[in-house]
């Protein structure tokens, strides 16, 4: 397979280069002072985009380690506790430490993306629109990318140094990480996305570039996080109605666009040109192979989640609790309070079809191939992590690319999709007391799920499981008041967005992470020895510690997050 992110200008950008005798620039490299024309400036924009795909097996920008494994959706997986032990520390919380290399790595690599965006903005500021007609569009793209990186960083670490294009790289270490509050940083992030809504085109001629609706989608996401006000102990103290109104307004722009739900849920997670960058994928990271770039721009970040039966390495094992959440009652709706009292019997009970689009299980087809059945042998350590596998980010065997000993693929990684924005709007409406307006949005997603069973069949054409899901009908299968609407919305987000890196951040936003995670540990502990000492400490574990190496680098200017001193 061969795919281009977009027609790239091959300009290398180096931060520094040194020899024994003198400092010299790398061959073919440019620094900011040497840029003299739009073609060269375009190279810096491309370099900023490229960082989206510059993750690797231990720093996944898909956030699976930080959003799924750190939540109740997945176990770390792999060969055992010592296999990627820092992620075990992270999923159990009690031994999570500021000196873990993975925290330093994700912080550093996000700031690489921020720095590239800032460098590009400084360069573009040198050109008038007469000299470079696309200058404002490219500025908006860079501000979009910067906003994306800062939103990720802010939701991981909270107390972060905010650095824009006006700060020289040499001065980065002097910027404090407690200069701005979370609310102030989210406001700066929103400003970048707002700029994008005003300066990006509705469509882009090249796949992979941000457009106006991607900016609106992330503006809605940012304002939603900002609506939930936190104190210094990360407790949600209030919900800002004005911010919620902004969520609704931004989401409306996306929902009135040409984007929409895929008719089949599966279409979002299949490889091949027919499905990739589809109508639901508002913004995606592009990957490629056979493009002259070494081993290709394949998805390194999710390589570890490939089942052992297809190669390596069986990380991100869906939790039994998540599987249980997909059971439905006689009315075709979730069991909000009792879904996890015992494990679902997948041969006898009715389930939401999204389970078999999201999670593989022994005896069921892998990626809709009835001749390729999952078996227990696909799992490395059943005693610790069970036999389920994550499917959304993975592909059919013929689409795997061997990067010995790992296996990658070139399927684009969706950064935000239409269903996500629908749920942003529904959440805002419910918290505004307008839950009746949220009901059609949630039901549209549920109805799509009900219509997504065509591929879920065995070799003989019979359904893989007993699928039964119904929309919510007020007064029949649910009492649709604000409290129940909130439960339905939060449950729907889990079912729809499972294993897409969002779960922990949802729990943090709602202020229920401690409650949910400690209940999860209590439920899983009898059958999962990995959680014997696990405990979520409220007021600390909502955010990661500031990496110790970054505190050293700042010469102790950075202040550590609460509870990690």
């Amino acid at each position: 397979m061969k795919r281009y992110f977009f027609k790239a200008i091959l300009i290398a950008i180096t931060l520094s280069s040194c020899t024994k005798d003198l400092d010299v620039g790398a061959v073919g490299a440019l620094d900011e002072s040497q840029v003299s024309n739009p073609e060269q400036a375009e190279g810096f924009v491309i370099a900023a985009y490229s960082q989206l795909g510059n993750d690797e097996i231990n720093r996944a920008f898909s956030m699976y380690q930080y959003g799924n494994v750190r939540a109740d959706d997945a176990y770390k997986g792999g060969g055992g506790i010592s296999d990627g032990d820092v992620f075990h520390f992270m999923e159990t919380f009690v031994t999570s430490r500021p000196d873990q290399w993975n925290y330093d790595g994700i912080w550093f690599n996000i700031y690489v993306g921020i720095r590239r965006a800032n460098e590009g903005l400084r360069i573009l500021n040198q050109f008038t629109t007469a000299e470079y007609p696309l200058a404002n569009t490219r500025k908006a793209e860079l501000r979009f990318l910067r906003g994306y990186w800062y939103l990720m960083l802010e939701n991981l670490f909270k107390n972060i140094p905010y650095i824009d294009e006006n700060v020289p790289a040499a001065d980065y270490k002097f910027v404090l990480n407690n200069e701005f509050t979370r609310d102030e940083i989210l406001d700066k992030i929103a400003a970048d996305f707002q700029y994008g809504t005003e300066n990006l085109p509705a469509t882009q001629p090249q796949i992979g570039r941000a457009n106006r609706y991607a900016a609106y989608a992330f503006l809605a996401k940012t304002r939603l996080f900002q609506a939930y006000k936190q104190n210094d102990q990360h407790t949600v103290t209030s919900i800002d109605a004005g911010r919620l109104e902004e969520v609704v307004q931004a989401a409306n722009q996306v929902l009135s666009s040409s984007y929409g739900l895929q008719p089949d849920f599966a279409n979002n997670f299949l490889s091949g040109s027919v499905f990739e960058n589809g109508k639901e994928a508002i913004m995606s990271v592009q990957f490629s192979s056979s493009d002259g770039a070494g081993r290709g721009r394949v998805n390194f970040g999710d390589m570890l989640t490939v089942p052992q039966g297809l190669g390596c390495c069986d990380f991100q094992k869906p939790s039994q609790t998540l599987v249980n959440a997909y059971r439905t009652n006689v009315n075709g709706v979730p069991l909000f309070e009792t879904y996890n009292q015992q494990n679902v019997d997948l041969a006898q009970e009715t389930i939401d079809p999204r389970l078999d689009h999201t999670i593989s299980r022994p005896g069921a087809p892998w990626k809709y191939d009835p001749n390729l059945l999952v078996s227990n042998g696909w799992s490395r350590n059943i005693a610790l992590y069970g036999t389920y596998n994550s499917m959304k980010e993975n592909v059919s065997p013929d689409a795997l690319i061997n990067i010995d000993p790992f296996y990658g693929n070139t399927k684009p990684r969706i950064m935000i999709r239409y269903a996500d924005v629908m749920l942003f709007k529904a959440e805002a409406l419910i918290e505004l007391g307008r839950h009746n307006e949220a009901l059609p949005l949630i039901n549209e997603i549920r109805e799509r799920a009900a219509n997504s069973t065509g591929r879920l069949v065995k070799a003989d054409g019979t359904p893989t499981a007993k699928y039964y899901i119904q929309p919510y009908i007020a007064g029949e299968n649910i009492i649709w008041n604000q409290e129940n609407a909130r439960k339905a919305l939060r449950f729907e987000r889990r079912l729809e967005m499972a294993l897409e890196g969002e779960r922990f951040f949802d729990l943090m936003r709602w202020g229920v992470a401690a409650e949910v995670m400690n209940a999860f540990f209590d439920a899983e502990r009898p059958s999962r020895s990995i959680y014997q000492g696990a405990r979520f400490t409220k007021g600390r574990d909502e955010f990661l510690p500031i990496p110790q190496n970054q505190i050293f680098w700042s010469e102790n200017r950075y202040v550590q997050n609460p509870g990690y001193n």
Side-chain angles (χ1 to χ4, degrees), residues 68-191:
N68 305 334
V69 171
R70 197 160 53 119
D72 53 349
D73 274 7
Y75 317 124
K76 174 185 71 68
I81 288 174
S82 62
D83 188 9
D85 58 357
V86 292
F87 299 107
H88 172 71
F89 303 156
M90 196 167 68
E91 72 176 335
T92 56
F93 294 96
V94 290
T95 51
S96 178
R97 306 188 314 270
D99 63 350
Q100 288 181 203
W101 55 262
N102 60 313
Y103 297 157
D104 183 55
I106 196 75
W107 173 291
F108 175 82
N109 282 285
I110 291 174
Y111 270 111
V112 169
I114 291 167
R115 176 172 174 172
R116 289 187 181 189
N118 285 338
E119 288 174 339
L121 286 167
R122 280 197 297 273
I123 289 166
L124 288 174
N125 285 337
Q126 301 173 20
F127 294 94
T128 66
T129 53
E131 296 170 317
Y132 188 6
L134 288 173
N136 287 339
T137 298
R138 296 296 184 251
K139 287 179 186 178
E141 290 177 43
L142 290 170
R143 290 190 65 173
F144 172 91
L145 293 172
R146 184 173 67 185
Y148 172 77
W149 289 123
Y150 268 125
L151 184 59
M152 182 184 291
L153 192 75
E154 173 62 22
N155 283 338
L156 286 169
F157 295 99
K158 188 174 185 175
N159 293 310
I160 59 172
Y162 186 89
I163 301 163
D164 64 16
E165 71 272 24
N166 298 310
V167 180
D171 292 343
Y172 277 18
K173 68 189 299 180
F174 301 112
V175 179
L176 303 179
N177 76 322
N178 60 354
E179 181 179 0
F180 299 107
T181 66
R182 174 171 168 80
D183 190 63
E184 289 169 336
I185 288 175
L186 289 170
D187 231 12
K188 292 177 180 293
I189 294 168

Side-chain angles (χ1 to χ4, degrees), residues 168-240:
D171 292 343
Y172 277 18
K173 68 189 299 180
F174 301 112
V175 179
L176 303 179
N177 76 322
N178 60 354
E179 181 179 0
F180 299 107
T181 66
R182 174 171 168 80
D183 190 63
E184 289 169 336
I185 288 175
L186 289 170
D187 231 12
K188 292 177 180 293
I189 294 168
D192 277 346
F193 293 133
Q194 182 65 45
Y195 186 87
T197 68
E198 297 164 357
N199 291 278
L200 287 170
T203 61
Q204 289 272 25
Q206 296 161 319
I207 293 173
R209 290 191 187 272
N211 65 25
R212 181 185 307 156
Y213 299 110
Y216 273 120
F218 276 100
L219 178 60
K221 184 173 186 176
T222 303
R223 292 305 194 195
L224 187 60
F225 275 97
Q226 194 176 16
Y228 292 78
K229 302 300 182 184
Q230 295 184 356
N231 63 19
D232 291 342
Q233 288 73 48
H234 319 321
T235 298
V236 174
T237 57
S238 64
I239 304 178
D240 187 324

Side-chain angles (χ1 to χ4, degrees), residues 260-454:
L261 292 180
Q262 287 277 10
D264 190 320
F265 187 70
N267 292 358
N268 289 302
F269 312 107
L270 289 169
S271 58
S273 58
V274 173
F275 303 105
E276 294 171 359
N277 300 300
K279 64 183 293 188
E280 193 166 338
I282 298 170
M283 180 72 184
S284 301
V285 182
Q286 306 299 309
F287 297 101
S288 62
S289 65
S290 304
D291 54 10
R295 295 178 293 184
R297 293 281 298 173
V298 301
N299 181 354
F300 279 78
D302 292 319
M303 281 184 180
L304 288 182
T305 75
V306 176
Q308 193 69 12
L310 296 180
C312 180
C313 293
D314 202 38
F315 279 71
Q316 188 178 214
K317 303 287 281 181
S319 70
Q320 183 64 56
T321 301
L322 176 61
V323 173
N324 292 343
Y326 285 95
R327 64 175 5 127
T328 58
N329 66 15
V330 294
N331 295 313
V333 297
L335 287 72
F336 296 132
E337 309 297 340
T338 60
Y339 75 94
N340 204 37
Q341 287 185 348
Q342 67 275 333
N343 292 342
V344 61
D345 184 340
L346 295 171
Q348 299 297 324
E349 296 185 62
T350 57
I351 62 170
D352 185 320
R354 285 173 291 189
L355 185 151
D356 281 335
H357 292 293
T358 303
I359 300 168
S360 79
R361 52 194 172 89
W366 174 258
K367 282 291 185 180
Y368 319 112
D369 182 350
N371 298 311
L372 179 61
L373 301 183
V374 178
S375 71
N376 287 349
W378 286 36
S379 297
R380 293 175 66 188
N381 194 324
I382 295 174
L384 290 184
Y385 304 118
T387 58
Y388 302 124
N389 292 99
S390 173
M391 291 181 66
K392 286 181 175 178
E393 77 280 12
N394 277 305
V395 296
S396 301
D398 58 0
L400 288 170
I401 298 170
N402 187 355
I403 311 292
D404 191 41
F406 308 113
Y407 290 80
N409 65 73
T410 60
K411 180 164 67 72
R413 177 190 297 145
I414 299 175
M415 296 161 62
I416 198 163
R417 59 187 177 93
Y418 188 87
D420 205 3
V421 180
M422 293 177 69
L423 292 170
F424 293 159
K425 179 180 177 180
E427 182 176 336
L429 289 170
I430 290 167
E431 296 304 331
L432 285 167
R434 296 159 57 186
H435 41 279
N436 288 333
E437 296 176 58
L439 181 58
L441 291 166
I442 296 172
N443 277 343
E444 186 177 350
I445 290 172
R446 292 183 64 76
E447 288 162 358
R448 190 268 295 273
N451 293 326
S452 299
T453 59

